């Protein structure tokens, strides 16, 4: 393998790594938005429909707008297998590959659901939604600031390594 080929592979590999890292920031923003939509849908169901917690989770798990939250489907399957909601929710959040911050927020949602009457759940979810909105803004800011940085560092790092081995 020639030096030119090796240099090109290095540049492409480093650039791909930078683009991958930037895409993770986009995923974080998408999940933050989906969590807010999830809370909005839960609050709507609590206000206007008399659903059990299992029915509520089943209803929202079918929404395309919540596809970024894979734990919902896992939670439904777990409850179908006979697991109680708190265990199904907790286990599904652990298995879904979320960041620690996302897990913490989702655990709080699970603790709220079914714990009190509908009105108290709605008001508690409203406070949590405010926190989620702040997290979304921070994720967008991080994506905007660091996304371009990761792209540039990946490409420039690859070029730098290529120059070193040339």
């Amino acid at each position: 393998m020639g030096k030119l080929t090796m240099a090109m592979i290095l540049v492409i590999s480093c650039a791909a790594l930078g683009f991958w890292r930037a895409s993770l920031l986009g995923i974080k923003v998408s999940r933050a938005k989906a969590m807010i939509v999830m809370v909005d849908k839960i609050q709507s169901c609590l206000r206007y429909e008399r659903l059990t917690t299992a029915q509520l989770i089943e209803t929202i798990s079918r929404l395309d707008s919540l596809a970024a939250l894979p734990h919902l489907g896992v939670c439904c399957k777990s409850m179908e297998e006979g697991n109680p909601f708190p265990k199904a929710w907790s286990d599904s959040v652990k298995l879904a590959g979320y960041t620690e911050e996302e897990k913490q927020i989702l655990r709080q949602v699970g603790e709220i659901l079914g714990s009190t009457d509908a009105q108290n759940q709605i008001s508690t979810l409203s406070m949590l939604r405010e926190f989620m909105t702040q997290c979304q803004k921070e994720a967008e800011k991080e994506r905007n600031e660091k996304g371009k940085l990761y792209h540039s560092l990946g490409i420039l790092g690859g070029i730098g390594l290529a120059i070193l081995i040339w």
Side-chain angles (χ1 to χ4, degrees):
M1 185 180 303
K3 282 187 176 184
L4 180 60
T5 306
M6 183 74 100
M8 288 178 64
I9 290 172
L10 265 173
V11 171
I12 292 169
S13 297
C14 289
L17 184 62
F19 281 85
W20 170 76
R21 185 66 178 107
S23 74
L24 293 179
L25 296 174
I27 291 170
K28 187 175 179 181
V29 171
S30 297
R31 284 185 182 161
K33 288 179 180 180
M35 282 192 251
I36 291 169
V37 170
M38 177 190 69
V39 168
D40 289 343
K41 298 294 182 184
I42 290 171
Q43 287 178 311
S44 178
C45 287
L46 289 170
R47 272 190 195 99
Y48 305 114
E49 301 177 37
R50 293 193 173 263
L51 301 174
T52 65
T53 304
Q55 291 169 327
L56 185 142
I57 298 303
E58 183 182 342
T59 299
I60 66 170
S61 72
R62 288 185 258 131
L63 298 173
D64 291 335
S65 58
L66 299 180
L69 303 175
H71 78 283
L72 294 171
V74 174
C75 183
C76 283
K77 286 183 182 181
S78 182
M79 286 188 296
E80 287 172 5
E81 294 170 357
N83 290 312
F85 169 74
K87 179 175 177 24
W89 183 269
S90 177
D91 290 349
S92 67
V93 168
K94 287 178 193 173
L95 299 174
Y98 295 122
T99 65
E100 281 305 313
E101 183 181 39
E102 292 167 337
K103 287 178 186 178
Q104 181 182 3
I105 292 169
L106 290 170
R107 275 190 224 110
Q108 289 177 359
V109 172
E111 290 169 4
I112 294 167
L113 291 177
S115 62
T116 61
D117 64 276
Q119 192 55 46
N120 282 335
Q121 291 178 63
I122 291 168
S123 62
T124 307
L125 286 168
S126 291
M127 289 185 287
L128 186 58
R129 187 190 188 284
E130 289 177 29
F131 176 71
M132 289 175 168
T133 302
Q134 184 61 36
C135 290
Q136 177 195 348
K137 288 177 184 175
E138 289 172 12
E140 287 173 345
K141 181 180 176 186
E142 183 180 22
R143 180 193 62 196
N144 294 339
E145 291 175 355
K146 293 183 180 177
K148 292 177 185 175
L149 175 68
Y150 289 142
H151 288 151
S152 300
L153 283 177
I155 294 169
L156 293 174
I159 291 170
L161 286 173
I163 290 170
L164 285 175
I165 66 163
W166 196 274

